[in-house]
Amino acid sequence: MKKRILLLAGGQSGEHEVSLRSARSVLRALPRDQFDVTPVVISPQGRWLPPGDTQRALETGEAQRGGDLVLHRAASAEGYDAVFPLLHGPMGEDGTIQGLLTLAGIPFVGSGVLGSAVSMDKVMTKQVLASAGIPQVAWRLAVRREWHDRPEEVCDRAHELGYPLFVKPANLGSSVGISKVNHPGELERALDLAFSLDRRVILEAVAAHKPRELEVGILGNDAPIASPVGELRFEADFYDYETKYTEGRATMHIPAPLPGEIAERVRTLALTAFRALDCAGLARVDFFYDERTGDLLLNEVNTMPGFTTTSMYPKLFEAAGLSYSELVTRLVELALEKR
Ligand code: ATP
Ligand code: MG
Ligand code: MG
Ligand code: MG
């Protein structure tokens, strides 16, 4: 019997468009002799689009207005064997959809409520990983109310970290809302931007002047495996949205040219983080590596990483001998095994 899969894409976050691209690739790759796949695009307004509108959204990369409220449509998700929530960022990668699916009793690809929520929030991630002994940059939390009522306190926290520093919405991705702040004069604008997108903002010391950026894929539930380590190289000051999504701005190197012991350390730290955060199915764990000092710092854990055929996560497992379509098949199997 073919498995009936509901593929959710789009969503309400700033990564709507990226999710549609990933979904197009996954739709093409799920073997049709094993799976009956129904895509549903969630509009930026949070409405679940009917089949015709979903098809148009996938083709044009732009969702129409209309559609059903989530609870209404989720009730009819009863007939599916598993859901692939290919959604990035808030209301998708953060435990909200995972909670809905858990309540509905439908198996789904990826981390559950806890792993998704904790990994999405960069501050919670840092706290949990610190208690697991994982090396990370120095950081401070600020919430919107503090920025409005006592801005000088928030600025003091930044000054403590020193410049340059990074300012980021705590719960986003694709570098949306992230600024590198080179001196105190640039701080206000960076904080205004980050707080326009999130109630919680993280201030981070820089990992190094220009750290190498390493990424590793994790696959599995309670016995996860790590992929080879990949590296991203680019000219830009940091890996911002344009660099991520403009063809030719960044290059992927798999495996990353690294001493064997560093690559092994990346893989071990990533597996430790995956377990500490109670992740499941998949995650892409990102690191900073300073060649001069040998410092290796964990940057973040993405529980639903970019998933086009040219994205890092599938490329990492391709290098490990798992084709894109074998990988998505494995992810669905892991979803069904999870309970
Ligand atoms: P993703 O799309 O991978 O989910 P994201 O939006 O969650 O990314 P980060 O990975 O936290 O954002 O940061 C984006 C980029 O900014 C990093 O890849 C790196 O180039 C730069 N960066 C972020 N934090 C630091 C830091 N503390 N030190 C140096 N560079 C940093
Ligand atoms: Mg991220
Ligand atoms: Mg992300
Ligand atoms: Mg990142």
Side-chain angles (χ1 to χ4, degrees):
M1 255 270 275
K2 284 196 201 180
K3 296 276 179 225
R4 290 150 307 169
I5 308 297
L6 174 64
L7 177 71
L8 295 176
Q12 299 179 65
S13 85
E15 295 181 273
H16 177 91
E17 165 60 24
V18 180
S19 161
L20 293 183
R21 286 195 226 175
S22 299
R24 279 195 286 266
S25 299
V26 169
L27 257 181
R28 274 195 294 269
L30 276 167
R32 285 305 135 105
D33 55 335
Q34 293 176 53
F35 301 108
D36 240 338
V37 191
T38 307
V40 168
V41 167
I42 300 175
S43 75
Q45 293 77 30
R47 299 266 171 169
W48 296 34
L49 301 181
D53 288 351
T54 281
Q55 212 47 50
R56 264 191 298 284
L58 285 168
E59 280 159 19
T60 62
E62 213 176 304
Q64 308 295 305
R65 291 192 165 270
D68 297 319
L69 265 179
V70 56
L71 286 173
H72 184 85
R73 180 56 80 133
S76 67
E78 219 172 340
Y80 296 98
D81 295 304
V83 176
F84 196 145
L86 195 46
L87 303 161
H88 309 299
M91 313 287 191
E93 199 179 349
D94 64 349
T96 48
I97 289 278
Q98 290 75 11
L100 184 77
L101 297 172
T102 303
L103 281 172
I106 307 169
F108 55 91
V109 171
S111 294
V113 172
L114 179 64
S116 300
V118 177
S119 303
M120 185 82 265
D121 187 284
K122 292 177 188 294
V123 172
M124 288 306 288
T125 301
K126 287 214 161 28
Q127 286 173 328
V128 171
L129 296 187
S131 68
I134 292 181
Q136 308 173 88
V137 296
W139 58 273
R140 300 283 186 274
L141 164 71
V143 297
R144 192 184 277 141
R145 187 65 192 257
E146 295 174 314
W147 179 232
H148 286 160
D149 293 354
R150 305 187 300 280
E152 56 301 329
E153 265 180 40
V154 175
C155 291
D156 284 346
R157 278 172 226 168
H159 302 334
E160 279 163 29
L161 293 170
Y163 295 86
L165 57 85
F166 276 83
V167 173
K168 313 177 181 180
N171 296 272
L172 256 178
S174 291
S175 300
V176 174
I178 296 184
S179 309
K180 184 175 183 182
V181 179
N182 291 297
H183 55 81
E186 294 175 355
L187 186 59
E188 185 178 337
R189 212 171 132 197
L191 284 162
D192 280 338
L193 172 64
F195 278 119
S196 73
L197 299 164
D198 203 336
R199 224 186 90 247
R200 283 156 67 80
V201 163
I202 186 167
L203 311 167
E204 288 184 17
V206 284
H209 166 57
K210 192 115 193 329
R212 288 176 66 180
E213 301 208 20
L214 308 177
E215 300 191 344
V216 64
I218 304 292
L219 177 66
N221 291 333
D222 292 331
I225 57 164
S227 73
V229 179
E231 178 170 10
L232 286 157
R233 296 204 188 144
F234 46 84
E235 288 302 317
D237 198 22
F238 72 96
Y239 199 30
D240 58 10
Y241 189 92
E242 282 64 44
T243 311
K244 273 178 191 173
Y245 299 112
T246 312
E247 188 72 39
R249 292 274 181 94
T251 52
M252 265 187 264
H253 302 263
I254 305 173
L258 289 169
E261 87 229 56
I262 301 292
E264 216 27 64
R265 213 159 145 245
V266 167
R267 289 151 50 93
T268 306
L269 286 171
L271 284 166
T272 305
F274 188 89
R275 291 196 180 94
L277 293 162
D278 193 31
C279 294
L282 75 165
R284 199 196 71 226
V285 188
D286 301 350
F287 291 84
F288 298 125
Y289 175 51
D290 185 348
E291 251 174 345
R292 284 175 314 112
T293 60
D295 282 349
L296 184 62
L297 304 174
L298 196 153
N299 170 32
E300 63 152 349
V301 177
N302 291 286
T303 53
M304 193 53 75
F307 220 104
T308 69
T309 48
T310 57
S311 297
M312 183 61 105
Y313 183 85
K315 286 282 173 206
L316 289 169
F317 278 102
E318 206 174 285
L322 210 57
S323 74
Y324 187 91
S325 93
E326 287 166 339
L327 178 63
V328 288
T329 303
R330 181 77 193 117
L331 287 171
V332 174
E333 287 167 6
L334 285 166
L336 296 168
E337 270 171 27
K338 208 162 38 171
R339 297 193 302 163

